Amino acid sequence: MSICYYLAMKLFCSYAFTGEDVTAVEKRMTSVVDALTQAGHEAYCPLFDPYKIALQEKHAINEIFEYDFRNIATCEAMVAIITSSKKSEGQLMEIGALLAQHKPLYLFMHESALHTSHLPKLTTRVFPWQTDTDLKKALVLVQP
């Protein structure tokens, strides 16, 4: 009988926000954080960080990204949720900051976007998904 152990990680959850349906983003990212937490990880999602929300209300763009980059530095890896082929500048900057630190990137990419990006070539692992249910099932597979 073999037993598989893996270490829990602190994960930065990256997502597209600008121009997206806020309600859909909130629902999806709540599900993402819940699934990662249930899998034993610590999931940091800027969407639910009161300080980040305050910075957004002030439209303090430089401060927002500096804060995100500091939080990325405290995490061991990133889970990036890609929902379409539309590029998110903020998300790409977050991914770049993570990759500059040589940390793992777990890319959860909607099947409609798989062949429209170079991101899959830069990741630790790609998890294609089609529905939010598929996404939630794939999230439990994140391991170092």
Side-chain angles (χ1 to χ4, degrees), residues 9-15 29 32-33 36 41-47 49 52 64-81 90-91 93-95 97-98 101 103-106 108 139 142:
M9 294 183 286
K10 182 176 180 185
L11 300 167
F12 184 97
C13 298
S14 178
Y15 54 92
M29 294 313 296
V32 166
V33 169
L36 292 170
H41 300 293
E42 180 183 345
Y44 169 77
C45 184
L47 185 64
D49 182 328
K52 169 95 183 250
I64 289 169
F65 284 107
E66 288 173 12
Y67 185 67
D68 279 346
F69 298 159
R70 283 194 306 271
N71 278 300
I72 290 167
T74 69
C75 292
E76 296 163 83
M78 178 183 286
V79 166
I81 309 299
Q91 189 173 38
M93 288 192 289
E94 291 169 350
I95 290 169
L98 177 93
Q101 296 173 36
K103 294 181 178 183
L105 171 61
Y106 299 96
F108 290 80
L139 286 161
V142 173

Side-chain angles (χ1 to χ4, degrees), residues 82-130:
I82 310 292
T83 59
S84 72
S85 60
K86 188 169 75 171
K87 306 293 187 259
S88 164
E89 291 178 358
Q91 189 173 38
L92 290 173
M93 288 192 289
E94 291 169 350
I95 290 169
L98 177 93
L99 293 175
Q101 296 173 36
H102 306 287
K103 294 181 178 183
L105 171 61
Y106 299 96
L107 185 66
F108 290 80
M109 187 169 252
H110 192 272
E111 289 178 352
S112 65
L114 275 175
H115 304 292
T116 62
S117 174
H118 293 290
L119 286 178
K121 299 171 192 164
L122 302 171
T123 65
T124 303
R125 185 160 176 205
V126 178
F127 298 86
W129 59 281
Q130 191 169 34

Side-chain angles (χ1 to χ4, degrees), residues 130-143:
Q130 191 169 34
T131 67
D132 284 347
T133 301
D134 298 336
L135 173 61
K136 191 170 182 173
K137 287 179 185 175
L139 286 161
V140 300
L141 302 174
V142 173
Q143 348 182 347

